[in-house]
Amino acid sequence: MGETSGRKLMVEVCNAKNLMPKDGQGTASAYAIVDFDGQRRRTNTKSRDLNPQWDERLEFIVHDKDSMASETLEVNLYNDKKTGKRSTFLGKVKISGSTFVKSGSETVEYYPLEKRSVFSQIKGELGLKVWYVEDDPPEAENTGEQKAEAAPPAEEKPPGNPEGEIKKDEAEEKKQDENKPKEEPKEEKAKEEAPAETASPQPEPSNPPIVQTEKLKQANERHHEVLKRVDLNVSDRELCSRSSDRSRGAYDLVDRMPFLFVRVVKTKRARQENGSNVCADSTVYANLLIGTHSVKTKSERESKDWDQVFAFDKEGLNSTSLEVSVWSVEGKEGEEKSESCIGTVSFDLQEVPKRVPPDSPLAPQWYSMDSETTPGNDLMLAVWIGTQADEAFQEAWLSDSGGLIAETRAKVYLSPKLWYLRLTVIQTQDLQLGSASEAKFRNPELYVKAQLGAQVFKTGRTSPGLANPTWNEELVLVAAEPFEPFLVITVEDVSNSKTVGHAKVHVATIERRTDDRTEPKSRWFNLSSEDESRSYTGRIHVRVCLEGGYHVIDEAAHVTSDVRASAKQLVKPPIGLLEVGIRGAANLLPVKTNDGTQGTTDAFVVAKYGPKWVRTRTIMDRFNPRWNEQYTWDVYDPCTVLTIGVFDNGRYKRGEDGKPHRDCRLGKVRVRLSTLETNRVYVHSYSLVVLLPGGAKRMGEIEIAVRFSCSSWLSLMQAYASPILPRMHYVRPFGPAQQDILRQTAMRIVTARLARSEPALGQEVVQFMLDSDTHMWGMRRSKANWFRVVGCLSRAATLLCWVDRIRTWVHPPTTVLVHMLLAAIVLCPYLVLPTVFMYAFLILLLRFRYRQRVPENMDPRMSYVDMVSLDELDEEFDGFPTTRPAEVVKIRYDRVRALAGRVQTLLGDVAAQGERLEALFSWRDPRATGIFAVLCLVMSLVFYAVPFRGFVLVAGFYYLRHPRFRDDMPSIPTNFFRRLPSFSDQIM
């Protein structure tokens, strides 16, 4: 190796926090191995400590000052088992050389420990101080030190795979064990080869000046003060949530996708002989060419910068070279313009550097362009290989997403915050119902109408003839932030279809409340005519408030993802973190044609949980797209549902009328968080099945990764004991019909607000994700729910069949055992409940082995989509009111009548059984009630004389008697009950 640069890198391994226990006893014995530029150092082992404190300083030689910024310092933590077994991996930290600071500016930085692979269980942070010092030793001594340090790197290898993402922990640890014994002999051999240089003691590096030491102390004090301020201002749970959020940047649930990034900044032209280099009307643009991929920057004047970033999917590249050319466009507007090439820069893609965060962005550089006509021109740009975790990825031109089209880029949306607005209409006074002669001969019928935006709700009508009526009715509306300006209250007269007057209430001034303990104050508002011809037409007395104690339900109740109250002060801290990795899809079917010749699919994914919606970028013209995007949500309740939908993008193209096409749905996946184990990664592919008017169709598969991390087990357990909805839903509940109307209203508001975003989230997408049509009638849904009820009752029927087999002695040994069990229960009744709960525990323990290992998705068989007719599907997709011909509606109506007739008969039979039971005590049948009264008297005397245990034992043995002692006819009690009268004969 050549001479050293005279620079040394100092690494102080300070401490680690919250390490993962790895020794099987809840602790870990950690040590650190630090690698830099082929050199390796090791710290001591801190036994049985999850928060070890080393404070060890390690020294490395920097062989080349210029290349130090491109080097990487890697620190690996291991658990030392000290039993001859391989050490287990505790985490790693990678630091780019561009972040190293000079001596005197170093501070303790805490880095989150990274995983080696997706399957690694890693947590905690590592505190390091990294700086470099300039050292110029004598030449002879420097040569001896260089030889001593040059030998070990020839044999040493860093522990594990240099990429650190593919190999298993054990394979990497085995390499460490093989490399460790080779380290010391090589160093001894190096020292023997140069005895002259190493005989004299090496002078220790001089201490830094006092000024630098004081600066270092002041920097450390400032750093500790900042940490104290963070601890005071942020709760532990928020810190945990922020720490977990770092995994989002690590993209540990998805695969890293390589992209070629090109940042084109600006160009500089050489001055010509006449001193001018720019035409007044000329503009320039850059053209990037990679094989068949060609893209242009925006055209700007030479005095302006482009500063555009282009990202090319590396798997889609068909060339190994990149060519960037700059073109000049000259000519005035309205005239024919000419283009000329200023110069070209070429890059070999095999030599492009790689960059992975947290490395700092690559600085653009000036490159001389090759040109035969205009030499000496320069172009500033930067080229690197990165991943989707790169900071420039979100705003870059993407080759797999159609460039810079807004409708194809990844976005995050937020649903508007919703409130319930409660308006209580009390009364009106001094109403002016027209002239005195008109009011004398007319009986007004009045009602009050409340309007907020597009919502209109009305009170009931008053009795005719009341000029100053009283209602005392409540109207509930849905308000969304930012609120509509005014709530309009209108009094209308039905008798002459005229408006008496209206009043406007500024929504921002309405009182807000969080519970029902405080009643809002009532207010009087003056009414005025609509045309403002009369400034006063009466006054109205109302009570209005914004209810913050409710959760405004804006999705179907069975797939709700958020149950928090509207008022911020009622919201509890999150109990965990949900991380979702949208990896890719496979075998998608074409849903449209490309230029009318070839089928294609432009797929994107929408995920919704709580008020946060995420939309991935659109992968153009691929049937097996790979998104590999990762998102996080805070979890406030574990019994909620994550919804993921796949769509074909049609909005980036517009029709002949200028309006965008609709997005086509490809399928949907739901994941209930309560079915997930905490801190476990689920990676699975789900089938995408969509219901179309022609039947159910399988559109492909989607692969997702899900992890539910819990920050507090106690909070998680408490969530199961707390009510699902906020307190106001139980104190002042809404009726089922009113709740359904409010839910539909909230859905329309959310749909309208998201459709006004840029880019818009289409109405068809939002409605599909929210299941806005679950309240509509459909024969298929009715059959599916009926078979669900039958499935639940079948378990009870199975139990009854088992009891019947016992009483009929189908298996005599089982019946004998039941006799013995019955005798034991009667003689020892205190063992009944312990036995029942013990059996339940054993059954649950036995079924634990057969639990569902993968989160369940929507079941097509349970949804009854395979056995449904086309006419029933057409009825389900029909809107309300119907748009089908009268003949079709008549056929469907007759079918519903036939089904309703069977339901009607079933309801009558159930009512008859209850009426027969009531007839025993009402003396409707005097003889039957008399017989029952005498029987009650006899049974009271029998139970007074016979012990209850004896009666239960005799009754049980009688019920389980052998079939030869049974009669085939119904029993006497059954015959007696069926003869009791009901009200069925009184129904007309």
Side-chain angles (χ1 to χ4, degrees), residues 345-396:
V345 179
S346 298
F347 295 89
D348 185 1
L349 299 185
Q350 303 294 332
E351 303 296 331
V352 173
K354 296 181 180 180
R355 185 225 170 211
V356 177
D359 293 356
S360 299
L362 195 66
Q365 298 180 7
W366 286 104
Y367 292 89
S368 298
M369 292 187 290
D370 299 332
S371 177
E372 297 179 357
T373 58
T374 56
N377 300 325
D378 296 332
L379 176 65
M380 176 178 283
L381 54 80
V383 184
W384 72 93
I385 298 293
T387 65
Q388 72 270 33
D390 201 292
E391 296 87 350
F393 181 78
Q394 296 298 331
E395 301 299 330

Side-chain angles (χ1 to χ4, degrees), residues 130 144 202 252 367 373 477 484 532 537 628 679 707 726 728:
V130 183
Q202 293 287 342
D252 59 336
Y367 292 89
T373 58
L477 301 88
E484 296 286 342
E532 302 297 338
T537 59
N628 284 308
N679 303 320
R707 176 171 58 208
M728 287 292 288

